Amino acid sequence: MSKQSPSTDTQFMDKLVSLCKRRGFVFQSSEIYGGLNGAWDYGPLGVELLRNIKEAWWKDMTHRQNIEGLDAAILMHPRVWEASGHVENFTDPMVDCKQCKARYRVDELLNGLSIKKQKEILRQIDESYARLNDVEIAALFSQLPEADPRSILKLINCPNCGNKGTFTEARKFNLMFKTFVGPVEDSSAVVYLRPETAQGIFVNFLNVQGASRQKLPFGIAQIGKAFRNEINTKNFLFRTREFEQMEMQFFVKPGTDDQWFEYWREQRMNWFVRFGMPKEKLQWHQHEPGKLAHYAKNAYDIEFKFPFGWGEIEGIHNRTDFDLSRHEQYSGKGMKYFDEETKEKFTPYIIETSAGASRSFMAFLVNAYAEEEAPTAEGTMETRVVMKFHPKLAPIKVAVFPLVNRDGMPEIAHKIEEDLRTHLPVFYDDSGAVGRRYRRQDEIGTPYCITIDSQTLGDQTVTVRDRDTMVQERIASDRLVSYLMDRIYKF
RNA sequence: GCGGGAAUAGCUCAGCUGGUAGAGCGUCACCUUGCCAAGGUGAAUGUCGCGGGUUCGAAUCCCGUUUCCCGCUCCA
């Protein structure tokens, strides 16, 4: 985690959150009702930035001959989540120690005990267990907590404070939001809000493959909301209950999975760098082999250096044939692929690239934020706040100012504004001193500002001011569109 | 879920041991402008997070609750 002082980190985040609200990037959800924990709304500038990020991802991923797009429903058949393992594995029974307030997952608490200790506990429950051997003990011990966790928990000391009998009752947290289809709220009508978009891709594997006539290897990309009933939300947009994912699942022949895994790792890391993230703010985190999720053969996260520490913004996982095999098993429908060339039939392996759109949004915000010393009209220095977004991601691409509101400058400025607006998001501003208008645009990351001055009246040129260098260039107004489009979209 | 801190105008905050709410910045209008935020005049804006209680009277005291931040926990 970050080694910066906590106060600095907190101050940075406070400033960012404040700017987000003040300028319309992010608002708290349901604010007038006191807010809803872990939910945020994207304001006028935020939605532009978010859409630009998703658009950049979508183009990069789907403008390839071997990747197809998809937009699956958020509500899916409940059996999907049994097959995926979410019904089972998203449920973690937890207990708290009432004495020292430590919290534990019950399974980890119990499995952490020595065989000797387990044997002792079992004997206290029933003397007849004493004659079982170690293997039988272990087997029994792994089942008992499910049946009757309470009696066992009473006999265990808290690993932290050593007290016995201080645990709360085990509570189950299923991280999936549950709701009901139709008017009857009974168990047969239960559906879940998807906790990940991936399953919508897996279950459509053969639909997409057949419809698009793709051959392996190929991928399916999707952007969409997902929901997890997190126990704790945290760190602004980083851990929320509703969030958006940008996922691509790449289907490959087993045996070629390792090389595709490496290919996509490189591709995805480069994407973040290409859109302005410095390499030193990004790092790989490999999941330790012993701690891999049930489906994974290999897993790396791309982490971004947030003010509160390194945090995952994308996971690249080798999911093996787990998902398709499970869906084949649970649905009874064949999910295998037939290779016409080799006449082989097999279950493809899946390389997953799963990026958080919301988390990327926040990472791009954090990365863009800069405070610089800039000279004022009087020649003194003062701080200017600049959001140094990549031009493609910037919510507003160009601002248009008449230097003063007379001599026909506003009329020319409005004409230029309208011409540009058919190509780009434009902001017109004629209030106050021009320096103030520049700074306002800096704060929302507008890469270019155009000013119409008295020289414009004579030769139809305008100044174009660069956000990062603050340097101005004089451009003929009829060349503006190509000048801007070149700098913003072509590279 | 536990512990700590916080919540007053759009933002940052002041408001003492209870006496019907303030500043700066920002916003808007008009004037002024001559290229990097603080020229002038005027204006709008708050059930002091929400709900109870104590009191003649609560932003202030008490209880509950919500949200945000920090730490723990958690993060298939």
Side-chain angles (χ1 to χ4, degrees):
Chain A
M1 294 303 258
S2 171
K3 292 290 179 279
Q4 286 178 16
S5 74
S7 63
T8 308
D9 300 340
T10 302
Q11 279 167 20
F12 181 93
M13 285 310 294
D14 286 349
K15 280 195 273 194
L16 190 69
V17 172
S18 169
L19 186 148
C20 280
K21 182 180 182 187
R22 188 157 38 83
R23 301 310 306 268
F25 283 96
V26 180
F27 308 121
Q28 199 187 354
S29 166
S30 316
E31 192 185 16
I32 62 168
Y33 287 100
L36 181 70
N37 181 273
W40 301 87
D41 298 339
Y42 293 84
L45 295 180
V47 68
E48 290 290 338
L49 175 60
L50 181 62
R51 288 175 68 106
N52 291 342
I53 291 168
K54 290 190 282 186
E55 180 72 4
W57 182 91
W58 187 257
K59 280 186 177 165
D60 189 69
M61 296 304 276
T62 67
H63 289 193
R64 299 165 182 250
Q65 69 79 19
N66 60 354
I67 297 193
E68 303 291 339
L70 179 72
D71 189 352
I74 288 173
L75 301 177
M76 302 181 71
H77 194 287
R79 290 270 286 165
V80 168
W81 307 110
E82 293 174 29
S84 71
H86 285 85
V87 170
E88 185 184 357
N89 291 314
F90 249 40
T91 309
D92 302 321
M94 311 283 299
V95 290
D96 293 318
C97 172
K98 283 182 269 194
Q99 189 65 37
C100 68
K101 310 301 179 194
R103 164 173 291 183
Y104 304 96
R105 265 170 61 175
V106 174
D107 58 336
E108 288 181 355
L109 192 62
L110 296 176
N111 293 332
L113 297 170
S114 65
I115 274 284
K116 195 179 159 195
K117 185 76 189 168
Q118 291 182 357
K119 202 181 283 187
E120 190 185 315
I121 287 167
L122 285 174
R123 192 183 301 139
Q124 288 179 55
I125 293 170
D126 188 333
E127 199 54 46
S128 66
Y129 289 143
R131 52 191 162 73
L132 298 176
N133 66 33
D134 287 3
V135 178
E136 290 167 324
I137 295 265
L140 183 62
F141 209 82
S142 63
Q143 290 167 12
L144 258 189
E146 280 293 318
D148 187 11
R150 215 182 311 175
S151 59
I152 288 188
L153 286 168
K154 269 187 216 159
L155 303 170
I156 294 176
N157 300 73
C158 172
N160 187 46
C161 65
N163 285 298
K164 193 184 283 188
T166 56
F167 289 118
T168 59
E169 290 209 15
R171 288 182 301 270
K172 279 194 168 189
F173 295 117
N174 191 306
L175 296 186
M176 284 195 293
F177 281 101
K178 194 187 278 188
T179 187
F180 302 93
V181 166
V184 185
E185 297 193 1
D186 66 20
S187 60
S188 66
V190 165
V191 292
Y192 301 97
L193 300 183
R194 66 183 176 199
E196 64 177 23
T197 54
Q199 300 300 328
I201 294 177
F202 301 148
V203 301
N204 277 300
F205 163 59
L206 287 178
N207 284 340
V208 173
Q209 190 267 324
S212 63
R213 298 167 49 234
Q214 287 279 3
K215 293 185 171 62
L216 254 52
F218 80 99
I220 303 175
Q222 172 169 228
I223 297 175
K225 292 258 179 139
F227 305 84
R228 294 183 192 179
N229 197 4
E230 297 285 354
I231 298 162
N232 284 332
T233 60
K234 215 185 166 181
N235 291 329
F236 195 32
L237 305 173
F238 188 76
R239 172 155 300 128
T240 55
R241 299 207 165 92
E242 175 176 344
F243 55 98
E244 198 157 26
Q245 294 184 305
M246 306 186 289
E247 292 199 318
M248 192 281 297
Q249 308 290 337
F250 201 70
F251 301 85
V252 304
K253 185 175 177 180
T256 66
D257 49 310
D258 288 337
Q259 70 197 62
W260 280 111
F261 184 72
E262 291 307 317
Y263 172 82
W264 283 112
R265 281 218 298 143
E266 187 189 352
Q267 290 283 307
R268 294 306 307 146
M269 181 61 96
N270 288 345
W271 184 82
F272 286 105
V273 173
R274 202 154 15 103
F275 283 93
M277 290 192 183
K279 288 195 170 107
E280 41 306 350
K281 285 195 196 168
L282 296 167
Q283 72 176 17
W284 286 108
H285 166 74
Q286 182 177 19
H287 294 210
E288 291 171 45
K291 290 190 174 177
L292 285 171
H294 57 274
Y295 55 76
K297 171 179 168 187
N298 201 354
Y300 278 83
D301 295 337
I302 297 175
E303 295 185 333
F304 177 79
K305 192 174 189 181
F306 288 101
F308 45 81
W310 290 97
E312 178 192 350
I313 54 176
E314 174 155 354
I316 292 95
H317 297 181
N318 183 341
R319 298 186 68 122
T320 69
D321 59 0
F322 176 85
D323 301 284
L324 292 180
S325 299
R326 291 277 285 196
H327 284 304
E328 182 166 290
Q329 182 188 335
Y330 277 71
S331 70
K333 302 291 192 305
M335 298 297 281
K336 291 187 175 64
Y337 174 81
F338 183 70
D339 189 320
E340 297 285 354
E341 279 184 34
T342 62
K343 305 298 178 196
E344 287 174 288
K345 198 174 188 184
F346 57 85
T347 305
Y349 268 40
I350 295 175
I351 307 301
E352 167 184 84
T353 70
S354 176
S358 323
R359 284 184 176 184
S360 299
F361 174 94
M362 186 170 158
F364 280 117
L365 271 180
V366 167
N367 186 54
Y369 186 93
E371 290 178 4
E372 295 180 346
E373 290 302 304
T376 64
E378 291 78 36
T380 57
M381 299 300 276
E382 69 172 9
T383 305
R384 79 167 179 141
V385 174
V386 198
M387 296 300 284
K388 297 194 166 184
F389 295 124
H390 187 285
K392 268 191 187 170
L393 301 183
I396 307 286
K397 309 297 188 197
V398 58
V400 180
F401 311 146
L403 185 59
V404 291
N405 285 310
R406 54 178 162 76
D407 301 338
M409 290 182 207
E411 289 75 9
I412 298 172
H414 275 302
K415 176 74 172 56
I416 288 172
E417 175 206 357
E418 280 166 31
D419 289 348
L420 291 176
R421 207 178 275 289
T422 57
H423 301 91
L424 297 157
V426 185
F427 190 85
Y428 184 91
D429 193 357
D430 62 3
S431 74
V434 73
R436 175 195 300 270
R437 289 179 250 164
Y438 285 139
R439 297 300 166 81
R440 271 202 282 252
Q441 295 305 312
D442 289 342
E443 204 181 37
I444 62 170
T446 305
Y448 297 102
C449 294
I450 292 167
T451 300
I452 287 78
D453 59 12
S454 49
Q455 189 177 332
T456 312
L457 306 174
D459 66 5
Q460 286 82 49
T461 63
V462 297
T463 62
V464 179
R465 179 260 198 187
D466 181 275
R467 175 193 68 200
D468 299 337
T469 63
M470 295 190 283
V471 170
Q472 288 176 295
E473 197 176 345
R474 222 163 230 297
I475 302 292
S477 57
D478 58 5
R479 280 189 49 225
L480 271 177
V481 171
S482 63
Y483 178 93
L484 293 169
M485 299 299 275
D486 278 357
R487 277 158 185 76
I488 294 167
Y489 293 109
K490 268 192 209 161
F491 62 95

